[in-house]
Structure formats: structure tokens, C-alpha cells
């Protein structure tokens, strides 16, 4: 059975991380995994931190870590918007440490109205990094 191609675009704060034709993508939502193929009806959804799976045009299934975000499909294209995405073969503890340092620098460069706001952001950061480490160990 031949699958049709469609365009995948991964958007991060740094810009477009990935853009290419694919056959399928599997994303985890709060309800579980959803597989999207070419010619999918328009759809918008939220993604939870997880491993996502992409079937490239050579029918290879590759995995990537995504730190949540959202996606939308329209006109045979899927756009994923997230603050962190990388292919699992590129991820290791040093990548997570670099991400942690980058986020800490961003926190230090901001002016917050209270210490409570800083504590909440730092707590969220620690949870995000722990989630990434758990996903990496799977």
C-alpha cells in the first residue's frame, strides 16, 4: 500500500526546526497518540511532552522528543509549534543540560514582580527537564 506525502513543519522559538515531506506522524495528546496521514481533515490539538514518531518518505520510522505544544493540519500540511523538539538520536544529557542553561539565562534576564513568580517558573523548569530525562530513558 502506497501512502501519500504531506508537508510537516516543526516550529520552535529559534525558527523552523524541520520542514519536509513525510508519510505519517504520531503525536501524543492528553487522550493518547494520534496518527496523521496525508489529506487529513483540518484539526487543531495540544501535544503533551512525549516521543513522537515520523514516517519519512522512504517509510523509515524515526522518533523525536517533543516538549508539548500544539499542532494544526490544513491543506495537506501539519504545523507543530513547540518550545523543544529534537530527534532522539541527537538527544543526550548534554543537550538537556544546554537547554537547562538556556532557560536559566532567560529567567535571569527577565524582571519579575515577585519571588513567587520566579519560584513557579523554576519549578516548572525542573518538571520539564525531569520529563525530558524520563522520555530519554524510555
Amino acid at each position: 500500500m502506497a501512502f501519500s506525502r504531506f508537508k510537516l513543519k516543526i516550529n520552535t522559538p529559534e525558527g523552523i526546526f524541520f520542514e519536509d515531506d513525510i508519510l505519517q506522524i504520531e503525536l501524543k495528546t492528553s487522550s493518547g497518540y494520534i496518527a496523521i496521514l496525508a489529506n487529513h481533515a483540518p484539526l487543531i490539538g495540544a501535544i503533551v511532552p512525549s516521543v513522537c514518531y515520523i514516517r519519512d518518505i522512504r517509510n523509515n520510522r524515526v522518533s523525536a522528543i517533543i516538549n508539548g505544544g500544539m499542532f494544526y493540519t490544513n491543506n495537506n500540511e501539519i504545523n507543530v509549534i513547540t518550545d523543544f523538539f529534537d530527534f532522539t538520536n541527537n538527544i543526550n544529557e548534554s543537550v538537556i543540560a544546554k537547554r537547562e542553561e538556556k532557560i536559566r539565562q532567560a529567567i535571569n534576564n527577565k524582571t519579575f514582580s515577585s519571588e513567587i513568580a520566579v519560584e513557579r517558573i523554576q519549578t516548572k523548569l525542573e518538571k520539564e527537564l525531569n520529563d525530558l530525562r524520563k522520555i530519554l530513558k524510555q
Side-chain angles (χ1 to χ4, degrees):
M1 178 177 172
F3 290 102
S4 297
R5 299 176 180 193
F6 67 108
K7 178 76 68 192
L8 167 63
K9 191 183 293 186
I10 307 288
N11 300 282
T12 67
E14 290 80 29
I16 296 174
F17 178 87
F18 178 84
E19 183 175 13
D20 206 351
D21 287 344
I22 64 168
L23 300 177
Q24 176 181 332
I25 186 167
E26 297 171 50
L27 298 166
K28 188 173 183 182
T29 69
S30 59
S31 301
Y33 276 93
I34 180 172
I36 298 173
L37 299 167
N39 302 311
H40 198 286
L43 179 67
I44 296 174
I47 305 165
V48 298
S50 59
V51 176
C52 73
Y53 302 96
I54 299 167
R55 191 157 305 274
D56 67 20
I57 59 172
R58 291 176 302 286
N59 207 24
N60 297 317
R61 188 175 188 234
V62 294
S63 59
I65 293 178
I66 188 166
N67 189 41
M70 57 121 5
F71 71 92
Y72 64 93
T73 64
N74 196 19
N75 294 328
N76 225 22
E77 180 173 295
I78 180 166
N79 284 277
V80 175
I81 302 166
T82 182
D83 67 343
F84 181 79
F85 181 96
D86 208 343
F87 294 100
T88 53
N89 59 345
N90 296 336
I91 301 275
N92 56 38
E93 187 60 37
S94 69
V95 170
I96 294 173
K98 286 178 190 174
R99 175 148 173 77
E100 180 177 20
E101 179 59 29
K102 185 176 180 181
I103 294 171
R104 289 195 190 284
Q105 286 175 353
I107 290 170
N108 291 335
N109 292 336
K110 300 284 183 195
T111 306
F112 296 97
S113 59
S114 72
E115 285 296 315
I116 295 171
V118 173
E119 289 176 17
R120 286 183 183 160
I121 291 169
Q122 288 175 332
T123 301
K124 186 174 180 179
L125 166 65
E126 292 301 324
K127 181 185 180 319
E128 173 187 323
L129 294 171
N130 287 334
D131 287 347
L132 286 173
R133 286 182 178 103
K134 285 178 194 173
I135 292 167
L136 184 60
K137 290 178 184 177
Q138 291 178 352

